Amino acid sequence: MGADAAPSLAGRLRPFVEKGQLAGAVALVVDREKVLSVDAVSFADVARRKPMKSDALFWIASQTKPMTAVAVMMLVDEGKVALDDAVDKYLPEFRGQMVVAEKNGDHTVLRRPGHPITVREVLCHTSGMPFQSPLETPTHDTLALASLVRSYAMIPLQTEPGTHYQYSSAGINIAGRIVEVVSGMPYEDFMRRRLFDPLGMKDTTFWPTESQTRRLAKAYRPDAGGVALKEMPIAQLAYPLSDRTHRFPIPAGGLFSTARDTARFCQMLLNGGQSNGRRLLSEKSFVELTRRQTPASVKENYGLCLALGPDGFGHGGALATGMDIRPGPGIATIWMVQHAGFPGDGGKAQGVFRDWALERHGKPVAR
């Protein structure tokens, strides 16, 4: 079937909507230069029957991580950070950090690790840091970044650095703090000035304004029976979301964005670190981002805050958002939903979208 004759995406996703397995979605496809398609499906607010629109705002959660990694690599390009430097070169509170040698119900034995954790290791989840600090409850965003990262320095490593893959938001928050210390500006200011503004990501923020909040898609989870959708708050974040006094940026997962804004970031990656003829990352740094960083001894294939596959790379978020960059055909897919789980087969909708995008837009292109 030719691309023009391919069934519409709305038609492909309709069964998930009709069965109550998908509240709503924005699905966008770009190539290196332009938007190829954008579909807004079903509802941003099911109870109020508010239609999903293409400019809807979403909490993109861990899709913040690769954006933080790009910020670190900008400083690498400037010679201000080296990936194999010890974290404690920039954050002295990590000097003397220990690793768990033995642990049972009665006691924990600590020892010195073979080497201090490195910048590379925190960016590829092999530092041995736990997922988060005990202080990140009930929400993740009520401690200033400097205070949050100091709490990590008091926690022993769970595994020897560089030997195991253990997904760690703490590690990426450490990387964000390094950006702050080395650049001499707040992490969120660096992200705005060096990444979001140059890319035109005007709707990407840690603090949605009142007008942006009106465009925020509601979040859903399966009900107790697992057969219907139940509206929910974003449990990981404190409300009101616009509160800049008591809420703080999370380098590992705090951003809100739109499909079009996230697409601009993906296009920069599709173009090897360039946007509109301006290079944001050197070719060397782009290669570091997108090559395997995890050791051959672990099954996880991970770059610097990017999950790697045979045909490309990308990252997802806690509420099932996703971006998938395919350099071969020269396209990226951006999937925006707000789901903490799905009734029935709702979780398969993103794969249906990705397959449709590759079918319709995925012909290899010459560079």
Side-chain angles (χ1 to χ4, degrees), residues 214-295:
R214 288 195 291 268
R215 290 188 278 126
L216 181 63
K218 296 289 187 181
Y220 297 90
R221 60 176 174 81
D223 66 4
V227 296
L229 292 172
K230 182 177 178 63
E231 187 179 323
M232 55 170 268
I234 301 173
Q236 297 92 330
L237 304 180
Y239 285 76
L241 298 172
S242 59
D243 183 356
R244 290 174 175 259
T245 302
H246 303 101
R247 292 190 64 244
F248 298 92
I250 312 169
L255 282 173
F256 292 80
S257 192
T258 62
R260 287 185 184 272
D261 267 19
T262 304
R264 291 183 174 97
F265 177 75
C266 293
Q267 284 177 307
M268 182 271 291
L269 296 179
L270 268 177
N271 284 295
Q274 297 184 83
S275 175
N276 296 319
R278 175 183 177 182
R279 182 162 285 284
L280 276 72
L281 286 180
S282 69
E283 292 182 14
K284 182 178 179 181
S285 285
F286 174 75
V287 169
E288 286 292 336
L289 269 179
T290 57
R291 75 172 180 87
R292 180 171 180 140
Q293 300 285 346
T294 44

Side-chain angles (χ1 to χ4, degrees), residues 16-52:
F16 299 104
V17 173
E18 291 177 345
K19 294 175 184 177
Q21 298 168 346
L22 177 67
V26 177
L28 190 146
V29 186
V30 292
D31 64 13
R32 292 183 171 91
E33 299 174 351
K34 61 186 179 300
V35 173
L36 299 178
S37 65
V38 58
D39 290 86
V41 178
S42 195
F43 297 108
D45 184 331
V46 174
R48 294 171 178 80
R49 313 298 284 178
K50 179 182 176 182
M52 184 68 77

Side-chain angles (χ1 to χ4, degrees), residues 13-272:
L13 297 179
R14 187 173 298 115
F16 299 104
V17 173
E18 291 177 345
K19 294 175 184 177
Q21 298 168 346
L22 177 67
V26 177
L28 190 146
V29 186
V30 292
D31 64 13
R32 292 183 171 91
E33 299 174 351
K34 61 186 179 300
V35 173
L36 299 178
S37 65
V38 58
D39 290 86
V41 178
S42 195
F43 297 108
D45 184 331
V46 174
R48 294 171 178 80
R49 313 298 284 178
K50 179 182 176 182
M52 184 68 77
K53 295 184 177 180
S54 62
D55 67 346
L57 194 75
F58 298 82
W59 179 47
I60 62 170
S62 286
Q63 287 179 274
T64 309
K65 288 179 169 72
M67 298 181 190
T68 297
V70 166
V72 173
M73 297 311 294
M74 288 176 172
L75 295 173
V76 170
D77 280 340
E78 294 170 5
K80 297 176 180 177
V81 173
L83 287 175
D84 293 316
D85 279 346
V87 164
D88 63 24
K89 176 179 177 178
Y90 309 100
L91 305 177
E93 58 264 41
F94 283 87
R95 289 174 187 159
Q97 189 177 32
M98 306 290 273
V99 63
V100 174
E102 178 184 329
K103 185 175 183 178
N104 60 36
D106 298 322
H107 72 285
T108 299
V109 177
L110 304 179
R111 60 171 173 79
R112 292 193 178 278
H115 66 264
I117 61 173
T118 67
V119 177
R120 187 187 306 273
E121 288 164 347
V122 298
L123 287 173
C124 69
H125 301 299
T126 61
S127 67
M129 290 296 304
F131 177 71
Q132 64 182 47
S133 161
L135 299 182
E136 293 177 86
T137 55
T139 64
H140 299 173
D141 56 351
T142 54
L143 278 180
L145 186 57
S147 299
L148 180 61
V149 169
R150 277 197 295 271
S151 79
Y152 300 148
M154 295 184 284
I155 302 172
L157 302 173
Q158 305 302 295
T159 58
E160 184 69 30
T163 64
H164 295 75
Y165 176 93
Q166 181 170 317
Y167 190 80
S168 172
S169 285
I172 313 308
N173 289 334
I174 289 168
R177 176 61 178 155
I178 290 173
V179 169
E180 249 183 5
V181 169
V182 172
S183 70
M185 69 177 78
Y187 162 80
E188 62 272 22
D189 290 353
F190 186 95
M191 298 297 284
R192 172 62 54 198
R193 296 178 191 178
R194 297 291 302 275
L195 187 63
F196 303 153
D197 284 351
L199 291 179
M201 297 171 65
K202 297 178 180 179
D203 261 328
T204 300
T205 180
F206 294 99
W207 300 280
T209 63
E210 183 178 342
S211 64
Q212 287 174 319
T213 301
R214 288 195 291 268
R215 290 188 278 126
L216 181 63
K218 296 289 187 181
Y220 297 90
R221 60 176 174 81
D223 66 4
V227 296
L229 292 172
K230 182 177 178 63
E231 187 179 323
M232 55 170 268
I234 301 173
Q236 297 92 330
L237 304 180
Y239 285 76
L241 298 172
S242 59
D243 183 356
R244 290 174 175 259
T245 302
H246 303 101
R247 292 190 64 244
F248 298 92
I250 312 169
L255 282 173
F256 292 80
S257 192
T258 62
R260 287 185 184 272
D261 267 19
T262 304
R264 291 183 174 97
F265 177 75
C266 293
Q267 284 177 307
M268 182 271 291
L269 296 179
L270 268 177
N271 284 295

